[in-house]
Amino acid sequence: LNALQANTITIPVRVDIASATDHVCTIDPTSLAFAQSLEANITNDVRVIIEPYLWIAGGTVSETLLNPTDTPSWFTNWKAVLATLNQSFPNAWGLYIASNLVLLEDELASWKSVIKSVRSQTRAKIIYRTNWWYTATWDVGPGSSTEAYENKLANPIFGLPDIISIAAYFELTNVDAPTQG
C-alpha cells in the first residue's frame, strides 16, 4: 500500500446468497475475518471503504440478476448484513450499501429505510453503486437505450446516499485473444 501511495483502499467482504431469487444473505465468516485482518494493518492516514459483495449461487450468478421473490425479507436481511459490517468496521470511512443491484433500484422506500438504518449506526460515507448503461443516438422511443438512460437519471435513489459510484466495464479491444502489442 505504501508503495502505491494510495490514500483509500476498498476491502471486500463476501455475502453469500443461495440463488438470484433467494432473500437470505449471510456474511461469509472467513471473508469477514480476512477483511478485519487487512483493516488492522492499515495506517490511519489511509481511508477504508467496506464493500459487501454478493456471492450468488457460489459465484455463478451476477449481482445484476439478483431479484428476490420476497423483497421485503431481503431488505430486512440486507440491513442486518450492513449492521454487522458497521459493527465490525467502526472506523471505516465508507460503506457500499449496494453494488449493481439494478433489479432492486426502483425499491425507493426500502432503500430509504436501508440508508436511514445505516446512518443511525455509523458516520461512514454511504456509497451506492449502480451499473453502467449505454445510449445510442439512433436508439430512441419506448424501450430504447435513451429512455432507459433518462429513467436512470430520474431515479430519486441517487439523491439519497453520500456517494454514487458507477460500475463500468468496457472492452479494450474486440480481438478475441489480444497480444500485448
Side-chain angles (χ1 to χ4, degrees), residues 85-97:
L85 293 176
N86 279 323
Q87 292 167 359
S88 301
F89 302 94
N91 298 317
W93 179 85
L95 173 68
Y96 278 97
I97 61 162

Side-chain angles (χ1 to χ4, degrees), residues 23-35:
H23 67 274
V24 177
C25 41
T26 56
I27 296 174
D28 176 70
T30 303
S31 178
L32 178 62
F34 183 69

Side-chain angles (χ1 to χ4, degrees), residues 9-142:
I9 185 169
T10 299
I11 300 176
V13 178
R14 190 175 99 190
V15 178
D16 295 321
I17 300 179
S19 72
T21 58
D22 201 353
H23 67 274
V24 177
C25 41
T26 56
I27 296 174
D28 176 70
T30 303
S31 178
L32 178 62
F34 183 69
Q36 288 174 311
S37 71
L38 287 176
E39 185 204 30
N41 290 307
I42 294 174
T43 61
N44 288 337
D45 59 335
V46 176
R47 295 181 294 194
V48 172
I49 298 172
I50 302 301
E51 179 180 4
Y53 73 92
L54 301 183
W55 192 249
I56 304 171
T60 62
V61 176
S62 167
E63 71 274 12
T64 60
L65 299 176
L66 181 68
N67 196 13
T69 53
D70 185 350
T71 304
S73 292
W74 184 87
F75 275 102
T76 297
N77 290 329
W78 189 241
K79 280 195 256 185
V81 164
L82 296 174
T84 298
L85 293 176
N86 279 323
Q87 292 167 359
S88 301
F89 302 94
N91 298 317
W93 179 85
L95 173 68
Y96 278 97
I97 61 162
S99 184
N100 298 323
L101 303 180
V102 294
L103 298 178
L104 297 173
E105 277 189 358
D106 290 334
E107 300 288 336
L108 186 60
S110 296
W111 285 117
K112 282 181 177 180
S113 178
V114 167
I115 290 170
K116 181 179 179 183
S117 175
V118 170
R119 282 206 199 282
S120 73
Q121 300 164 13
T122 183
R123 294 183 320 240
K125 301 288 185 190
I126 296 173
I127 306 167
Y128 183 95
R129 180 184 298 149
T130 188
N131 200 26
W132 70 280
W133 58 87
Y134 70 94
T135 56
T137 56
W138 52 264
D139 187 18
V140 295

